Structures are given as C-alpha cells and as structure tokens.
Amino acid sequence: MNLLYVAHTESLPGSHGGAVHVLEVSRQLARRGHQLTVVVNREPHQPPEEWLDNFRLLRLRVRSKYLLFTFESALRRLIDATQPEVVMERYYNFAGAGIAAARARELPSLLEVNAPMVDPRGSTKARVDALSLGWMKRRALWQAGTATRIVTPLAVTIPPEITRAKIREIPWGANVELFDPASLDRERVAHLRAQLNRQARRVVAFLGSFRPWHGVREFIHAAQLLVRSRDDILFLMIGSGELFDETRVWVRHSGLSERIILTGAVPYDEVPYYLALANVGVAPFNTAAHTALRAGFYWSPLKVHEYMAMALPVITIDIPPLNQMVRNEREGLLYREGDAAALCAQIERLVDDGELARRLGQAARARVVEEFSWQKHVERLEPVLEECLMNKPR
C-alpha cells in the first residue's frame, strides 16, 4: 500500500515519545512492504529530505505549531506527486492539514490520536478553547468526523459526538529488538555499571519525562523513605523534563547524590544500556496531577513496554489499562495509586526476592513480544488501513 503519514509536530529522529512512535510505526510499515512518505517538522541543520529505514522522510519547516492547518496546499501537491492510497495524520490541536488534503483529493484518511481531543473543564486547553469561542473543539470534531477511521489506545480520547463505529483501539508498543538484553554489548553494559553503580547491589529505575503526572515526585519520595533503612539500593532516573531541575536541586540538597542518580536526557538508542543496569522498573503515575486524565488513563506508556522488553519486572499503579498490560504477580506488581508505603513495599519485595524478580521479568519480556511490540501494533494497524480503502470517499 502507498501511504502518506503526516506527523508535522514531530522531528525525526528524536528520543521523546511522539518521535519514537512515528519512527517505529514508519519502520514497521516499511518493513512489511508498504511504500511510505513521512512528513515531519524540519529543525535547523536537518536536510529537507532523506531515506530512513526504507521510507522517505520529508521535513517541512514550520514557523509556529499554531499554524499547522495552513499546510493543506503543500500536502495536496505532495499527494498529487506521490499518489498515496491512504493518508495518515497524527492528531494535534492545530493540525488537520493531512485530513483536509485527503478529503480534497477524495482519499480515505486515518487519524492517529494519542491524547484526549477535547480536555475536561479546568484544563489549560479548555480555557484556551473558551477564549477562542470553541474553535479548538470544533477543529477536533471536524478532524475526527472527517477521518475515515481513527486509531487510539483508548476510545475515551475521542469526543462522544463521534460515532464509535469508526474508532479502533490499538495499544502502542516497544522496539523489542533494540530493547533486548540479549542483544546488548556486554562490555559496554559493564563499563556503564562501573561508572554508575556506586557499589549498590540492586538498581531501581525510573524512565521517562520528568512531568508531575509521570510520578517523578512519587518516585523521589519512595527513594527518600527507602534510603533511610536500606544501603543496598541505587535509584536510577533516566530522562529529563520540566521537573528535572527541581529534582536535581532536591537530590543535591538532601545529600543523596550517591543514592539517586540522574542521567539527564539520554539518546534513544542508549536507553537500553541504562535499563540493563536495573533490576526493577517503576512507573508511579500520578493521574491527579494532569487534568486530561480525568477522562481515563489514555496512555499506552512506552516506558512500561520498554521495561518489559528489557525483562524487568514492572511496578505500577493498579488502574486500567496499566493493570491489563502488567498483570499483578505475573509481569510485575501493582499498588494503589498514591500509597507511598505500598510502593516502597513492592520495591523491597522485588529487591529482596531475586527469583521472583527474574520470573516476572522473563514473563514481561514474553508478553511484550507477543502483545505490545511495534510489529504487533502495525500488524493490527494494517486491517484498519484496509478498512479505509474499502470506505474510500466517492
């Protein structure tokens, strides 16, 4: 199938979730024989066009993320030149040019939605929408209503005004080839361990964006409680974000720089080496810290899948869909959200029971390969693309 994939808010290659998602979906579609042109943002010093992993990558410079819908004419010309059968677009508040261009050329379209299209009252997005007299909501409804099909991890991300018949729930995935402990250079892992281990017997890892709802403060609080009674645990925090500076200052002033290691931003291809140092992966989400999560936990979090791919037992909160990805006592351990004592207890349980940790980690690896790889994601995506072709506008 000849596809045009519009993800104009993303820059490739990149290490954050959106960029990883677009790159992995594109790789797997190309690997399965599809002809693919991917349109992304162009950063300074990046070439406007290149071939990457057997797909064509076009970079178009944008002046503002609030003007993305103005690219419709450019995408129409691209459609005329490449003759795609289906246009895919990654949803963004101010996007929609791909969906519009597909409609103008009477092509089917697939909208990829990664977050609530309409946020609940009290959120920043809802306040901005009120100031715009509802323009953002109307734009979201238009994009969803115009698209032939919609893919999302959780249907609650799509406004109720949109028919459920066009929505397909597909979880995101992990690169189970990159995140594979058996594929790593052992000498490189040993060198990194020597640099960071600080003589710790067990390493507990946090991976991801340093944002309030990712549970940065909850992880730090658990570490603070555990280091009082344990001298055999190292806490490894991989990543960066808005709370990084706050976290770094707190760690330094608390005198815990030898027990809580902050790596800062790490290139995506190097992340598996840091996770290879860990015995446990923790995802202590705080849903109360993000207004949009009132609609439900809409994520299919990359960090959880990547922990699992690295054969790490996962500790996360006991809410759906997390407790369906990581089943308690099978691929990891769950705890009640906000219960710091329970989080600490689950960490200690896996730190002290190496056999349990190994068993859960091996099961986690097997499950993510079977159900939550990017290969599996695209395998589930292909029938949706076929549905789009069968429902081509007339």
Side-chain angles (χ1 to χ4, degrees):
M1 195 180 298
N2 186 0
L3 304 170
L4 176 63
Y5 187 7
V6 181
H8 212 257
T9 59
E10 304 300 337
S11 298
L12 265 60
S15 59
H16 70 278
V20 169
H21 179 108
V22 173
L23 179 61
E24 296 293 351
V25 169
S26 301
R27 280 174 170 167
Q28 294 304 324
L29 285 168
R31 182 179 289 186
R32 293 176 72 88
H34 298 283
Q35 182 180 338
L36 192 67
T37 301
V38 182
V39 179
V40 297
N41 183 32
R42 184 183 178 191
E43 299 289 349
H45 312 301
Q46 286 185 321
E49 180 177 350
E50 65 177 306
W51 282 87
L52 185 65
D53 295 324
N54 293 317
F55 64 87
R56 183 187 179 199
L57 184 64
L58 293 181
R59 297 185 177 97
L60 301 180
R61 197 182 305 280
V62 295
R63 295 181 180 178
S64 169
K65 66 181 181 180
Y66 305 112
L67 298 174
L68 292 176
F69 60 88
T70 64
F71 281 85
E72 181 184 345
S73 59
L75 292 179
R76 287 188 192 184
R77 292 192 295 272
L78 185 58
I79 287 172
D80 294 340
T82 60
Q83 295 294 301
E85 297 166 83
V86 179
V87 175
M88 297 171 55
E89 182 165 21
R90 182 179 173 86
Y91 173 74
Y92 186 72
N93 297 329
F94 304 97
I99 302 296
R103 184 184 66 168
R105 293 296 185 257
E106 298 183 342
L107 290 174
S109 58
L110 177 65
L111 186 64
E112 184 183 79
V113 179
N114 303 275
M117 298 184 74
V118 178
D119 281 4
R121 289 183 180 180
S123 67
T124 300
K125 183 175 172 179
R127 289 192 292 269
V128 172
D129 190 41
L131 292 173
S132 68
L133 302 179
W135 182 90
M136 291 178 66
K137 182 176 181 178
R138 291 194 301 273
R139 185 72 183 177
L141 291 173
W142 178 86
Q143 289 184 63
T146 304
T148 310
R149 290 289 183 271
I150 302 169
V151 293
T152 180
L154 195 63
V156 73
T157 61
I158 313 303
E161 295 91 337
I162 303 301
T163 175
R164 305 291 98 174
K166 68 164 60 181
I167 302 169
R168 301 293 179 267
E169 290 187 336
I170 304 179
W172 306 152
N175 184 330
V176 296
E177 296 166 340
L178 177 65
F179 288 82
D180 179 1
S183 71
L184 302 184
D185 182 328
R186 293 184 180 180
E187 289 187 5
R188 188 174 169 188
V189 173
H191 177 71
L192 189 58
R193 177 173 285 112
Q195 286 183 305
L196 298 180
N197 202 348
R198 305 295 201 278
Q199 308 304 314
R201 185 169 63 86
R202 290 289 182 262
V203 177
V204 178
F206 171 95
L207 168 67
S209 298
F210 279 48
R211 295 178 176 177
W213 53 94
H214 284 249
V216 176
R217 294 188 178 108
E218 284 69 22
F219 186 82
I220 285 288
H221 183 48
Q224 182 184 23
L225 293 175
L226 286 170
V227 297
R228 294 174 181 172
S229 58
R230 305 286 301 241
D231 60 4
D232 59 344
I233 304 176
L234 180 74
F235 294 88
L236 180 63
M237 302 188 73
I238 309 161
S240 188
E242 64 185 82
L243 295 182
F244 182 78
D245 288 340
E246 171 191 308
T247 304
R248 181 172 55 187
V249 169
W250 183 89
V251 168
R252 186 173 64 247
H253 287 175
S254 301
L256 295 176
S257 298
E258 296 294 310
R259 303 295 303 279
I260 303 174
I261 307 300
L262 306 176
T263 68
V266 172
Y268 181 58
D269 289 352
E270 295 181 18
V271 172
Y273 284 90
Y274 284 86
L275 289 181
L277 307 180
N279 303 94
V280 181
V282 181
F285 294 105
N286 177 2
T287 59
H290 192 29
T291 308
L293 291 174
R294 292 177 188 171
F297 195 93
Y298 56 81
W299 275 320
S300 181
L302 296 187
K303 74 171 73 179
V304 172
H305 294 149
E306 289 165 356
Y307 289 154
M308 295 172 75
M310 287 298 296
L312 290 178
V314 181
I315 299 174
T316 192
I317 58 177
D318 188 7
I319 64 169
L322 292 170
N323 54 13
Q324 296 155 14
M325 299 175 196
V326 179
R327 297 168 296 184
N328 195 43
E329 304 280 352
R330 296 177 69 178
E331 293 86 27
L333 301 177
L334 304 175
Y335 71 98
R336 187 178 63 185
E337 181 180 359
D339 189 339
L343 172 57
C344 290
Q346 299 293 51
I347 291 173
E348 286 197 283
R349 185 178 173 197
L350 290 179
V351 162
D352 291 334
D353 191 339
E355 181 55 36
L356 174 64
R358 281 189 293 274
R359 177 173 61 80
L360 297 179
Q362 290 169 0
R365 167 77 187 172
R367 180 162 170 77
V368 82
V369 169
E370 180 67 24
E371 294 292 335
F372 300 114
S373 67
W374 286 117
Q375 290 92 327
K376 192 68 176 181
H377 173 86
V378 170
E379 182 182 320
R380 290 166 172 152
L381 182 64
E382 282 180 318
V384 186
L385 291 167
E386 294 288 347
E387 288 180 33
C388 290
L389 277 180
M390 293 172 61
N391 289 273
K392 183 177 180 179
R394 293 178 173 83

